[in-house]
Amino acid sequence: MDHKSRYQRIRDWFSSKQKEDKPSYGFKEIEDGVENESDDYRIDLSLRSLELDPCISTNKLRIFVGTWNVAGRSPVGSLAVDLDEWLNLKNAADIYVLGFQEIVPLKTLNVIGAEDQGVATRWNQLIGRTLNTKFGCPWMTPMLNSSISSNDDENNYKYENSEGSNKYTLVASKKMVGVFISVWLRQELMRKYCISNVRVCSVACGVMGYLGNKGSVAVSMSIEGTSFCFVVAHLASGEKKGDEGRRNHQVLEIFRRTCFPRTTKHHHYPLTILGHDSRIFWLGDLNYRLYLEDNFARQLIRKQDWKALQEYDQLQKELEEGGVFEGWKEGNIEFAPTYKYSSSTSNRYSGALPSKSWEKQRTPAWCDRILWYGKGVEQLHYFRSESKFSDHRPVSAIFSTQIEIKSSNRGLVELHNMNIPPTMLHPNHGMNTGDEDAKSSLLSLIIKDVQGC
């Protein structure tokens, strides 16, 4: 049966259930965001499998998520000390998801030229050495087939003792100009569970809307019966009035254009960010600033009054008022703004009086953030590290989440309780222009997951 007829079956199923008027299915009527002469849809999806396996158990996993804008600097040996502190290795996690921005300088040649994977390899080597040496394990270079590309048709990971006694294995890595993601799993996790369908996607939305100086890289993967999505983004810079609108637009573009490749055997795996099982993490240099004059911001920083400072935070306004990240969560910020420091050796924010003539005047801000979406995720810690390697400070979070362990893999596609906020899908929300290409709706996202991107 082709994908188109499968989608038609889904629409017919929705229509029949609406006619039955059974409230237990939770259907609600809302505006789709795209004009339709015949009907409007707002759907609280509860599409269940016809053959659900009743034997399901859950196990908890510990996930470390970290983001760092390294200001175009290459990894060097001395950076291992900074990585050790950043990765919080006293309390080891099952999964390490590391997002970087500006791993290369954002010069014209790097943006429009061919991708150079050498710097990404050096970062992966240093990360692997840091993770594994901490546990007294020998270091070996990551296998080439552990670095997933968007052209891979299928990637199912079962444990093989191919890397000696390493504690952690690289399972996915993707670079787009300066944006970079690196995902590592504890080998004990790989022995115990099936790690399947590891895929990557990149979205360039910088200069002219399509160059990679700004944008995102993302990884999708499944652990047993639970899918995960990790998105690393570098959004538009600037602290002028209206710059937040450009960032909002890029967020919507990343939602709209992120499409993970379909595998040949497993058609039920999610293709879009919002198609995952409530385990979605968005991290990076999001560049949201403060609606506050520089001198007042610095006064609150000196007082360490983080709560008062957050009242002027642009991203916090988006989260509270139902902006592009409606329904997403962020932990309580109890640390100083992470940007911009005057130099890689200084604890002083750039532009503070008396300032140097060559310094950029920047109001300090929490540019580096970690968000998550959906149920089943608990944030345990949210903190910054104090490395002076860059003019940004690294930011990290530790999460606890559950995964479903199924006794068998019977069952068809299951899209269960995808409570997608309506304004996140509204075509013009948060934009300064009426970009028709940015139009998306809940139905269009479902079409992507059923028909392919």
Side-chain angles (χ1 to χ4, degrees):
M1 181 177 294
D2 62 25
H3 299 310
K4 185 174 182 179
S5 60
R6 184 189 307 172
Y7 175 64
Q8 187 60 48
R9 286 178 58 214
I10 292 175
R11 291 194 63 151
D12 293 343
W13 187 89
F14 283 142
S15 300
S16 66
K17 291 303 178 184
Q18 286 177 303
K19 291 178 181 178
E20 292 175 10
D21 193 27
K22 294 182 179 179
S24 61
Y25 289 100
F27 290 109
K28 304 173 184 178
E29 184 178 352
I30 63 155
E31 181 182 351
D32 188 300
V34 178
E35 289 188 5
N36 187 320
E37 294 180 358
S38 60
D39 52 7
D40 292 330
Y41 290 92
R42 177 188 286 263
I43 301 165
D44 179 7
L45 283 180
S46 184
L47 232 168
R48 297 177 181 273
S49 167
L50 300 179
E51 286 187 67
L52 287 181
D53 193 327
C55 301
I56 298 177
S57 61
T58 59
N59 278 359
K60 281 191 174 183
L61 295 182
R62 186 181 177 93
I63 305 177
F64 178 99
V65 178
T67 178
W68 195 1
N69 184 320
V70 294
R73 298 191 63 190
S74 298
V76 293
S78 60
L79 184 59
V81 176
D82 301 78
L83 280 178
D84 189 291
E85 191 262 343
W86 179 40
L87 299 183
N88 195 34
L89 295 178
K90 294 179 181 178
N91 299 299
D94 298 299
I95 304 172
Y96 281 86
V97 180
L98 306 181
F100 297 84
Q101 304 82 45
E102 296 190 48
I103 64 169
V104 298
L106 298 183
K107 298 178 180 179
T108 303
L109 183 60
N110 289 332
V111 174
I112 66 175
E115 285 283 357
D116 178 8
Q117 297 299 332
V119 65
T121 299
R122 292 195 293 276
W123 273 107
N124 279 332
Q125 289 175 339
L126 185 57
I127 294 165
R129 186 181 302 118
T130 303
L131 287 173
N132 289 306
T133 302
K134 187 71 177 181
F135 297 96
C137 301
W139 165 248
M140 296 180 67
T141 300
M143 296 180 295
L144 289 178
N145 63 3
S146 291
S147 185
I148 306 305
S149 72
S150 57
N151 296 323
D152 286 319
D153 185 53
E154 182 171 358
N155 302 285
N156 293 330
Y157 283 81
K158 293 184 178 178
Y159 174 76
E160 294 180 2
N161 193 16
S162 57
E163 294 196 27
S165 56
N166 281 352
K167 193 78 171 181
Y168 290 89
T169 297
L170 174 67
V171 296
S173 176
K174 178 66 176 176
K175 172 184 177 292
M176 181 191 72
V177 186
V179 188
F180 173 57
I181 188 171
S182 184
V183 180
W184 298 74
L185 267 61
R186 188 197 293 266
Q187 285 205 354
E188 181 182 352
L189 193 73
M190 300 176 71
R191 286 193 293 266
K192 191 174 182 180
Y193 304 122
C194 175
I195 314 300
S196 63
N197 214 52
V198 182
R199 298 163 297 161
V200 300
C201 177
S202 61
V203 173
C205 52
V207 177
M208 297 184 294
Y210 284 94
L211 292 186
N213 60 307
K214 294 294 187 291
S216 67
V217 291
V219 169
S220 172
M221 61 186 293
S222 292
I223 302 178
E224 292 290 333
T226 303
S227 62
F228 290 80
C229 183
F230 306 102
V231 182
V232 176
H234 191 188
L235 303 181
S237 60
E239 57 184 15
K240 299 187 303 295
K241 183 177 181 180
D243 285 338
E244 68 276 15
R246 294 194 299 135
R247 293 185 271 273
N248 291 346
H249 176 69
Q250 289 177 350
V251 169
L252 289 172
E253 283 292 283
I254 291 168
F255 275 119
R256 184 178 71 88
R257 291 163 51 193
T258 297
C259 184
F260 297 102
R262 184 184 290 284
T263 61
T264 55
K265 295 181 181 179
H266 301 287
H267 297 291
H268 61 282
Y269 285 113
L271 302 180
T272 60
I273 293 173
L274 295 174
H276 290 74
D277 299 336
S278 300
R279 309 293 192 280
I280 311 174
F281 302 86
W282 187 299
L283 56 144
D285 180 0
L286 308 188
N287 254 322
Y288 286 96
R289 306 301 174 92
L290 298 173
Y291 293 116
L292 191 63
E293 292 184 5
D294 182 78
N295 59 329
F296 293 121
R298 293 177 191 266
Q299 288 178 20
L300 292 175
I301 291 171
R302 285 193 290 270
K303 295 177 182 178
Q304 298 187 9
D305 193 345
W306 313 134
K307 185 177 180 179
L309 198 62
Q310 283 180 72
E311 294 179 5
Y312 303 95
D313 178 67
Q314 292 177 352
L315 181 55
Q316 192 64 34
K317 294 291 184 183
E318 295 294 333
L319 295 170
E320 292 174 355
E321 298 177 2
V324 289
F325 282 112
E326 183 188 1
W328 289 69
K329 300 176 183 177
E330 182 182 25
N332 188 34
I333 299 176
E334 297 181 344
F335 50 82
T338 55
Y339 175 85
K340 171 180 172 50
Y341 285 89
S342 62
S343 71
S344 61
T345 60
S346 173
N347 279 325
R348 183 174 62 84
Y349 289 109
S350 179
L353 296 175
S355 63
K356 308 295 183 182
S357 59
W358 49 267
E359 283 187 350
K360 293 182 178 180
Q361 179 66 39
R362 293 289 183 269
T363 301
W366 288 295
C367 291
D368 311 279
R369 312 289 278 269
I370 299 172
L371 311 176
W372 76 94
Y373 179 78
K375 300 177 181 178
V377 177
E378 178 187 4
Q379 188 179 71
L380 305 177
H381 303 285
Y382 194 26
F383 56 96
R384 63 170 249 174
S385 300
E386 300 306 322
S387 168
K388 298 178 182 178
F389 185 75
S390 164
D391 56 358
H392 289 250
R393 296 295 184 261
V395 172
S396 311
I398 297 175
F399 296 92
S400 175
T401 188
Q402 292 184 336
I403 59 169
E404 291 185 354
I405 312 299
K406 298 184 179 181
S407 60
S408 70
N409 290 323
R410 299 195 312 272
L412 305 176
V413 58
E414 181 182 24
L415 302 175
H416 178 48
N417 290 336
M418 285 177 56
N419 297 309
I420 301 175
T423 56
M424 184 184 297
L425 305 175
H426 193 282
N428 294 319
H429 191 91
M431 296 188 208
N432 290 331
T433 61
D435 186 354
E436 292 298 320
D437 291 337
K439 289 185 177 179
S440 65
S441 66
L442 178 55
L443 283 180
S444 69
L445 290 173
I446 301 306
I447 290 171
K448 277 189 176 182
D449 265 337
V450 174
Q451 293 183 326
C453 298

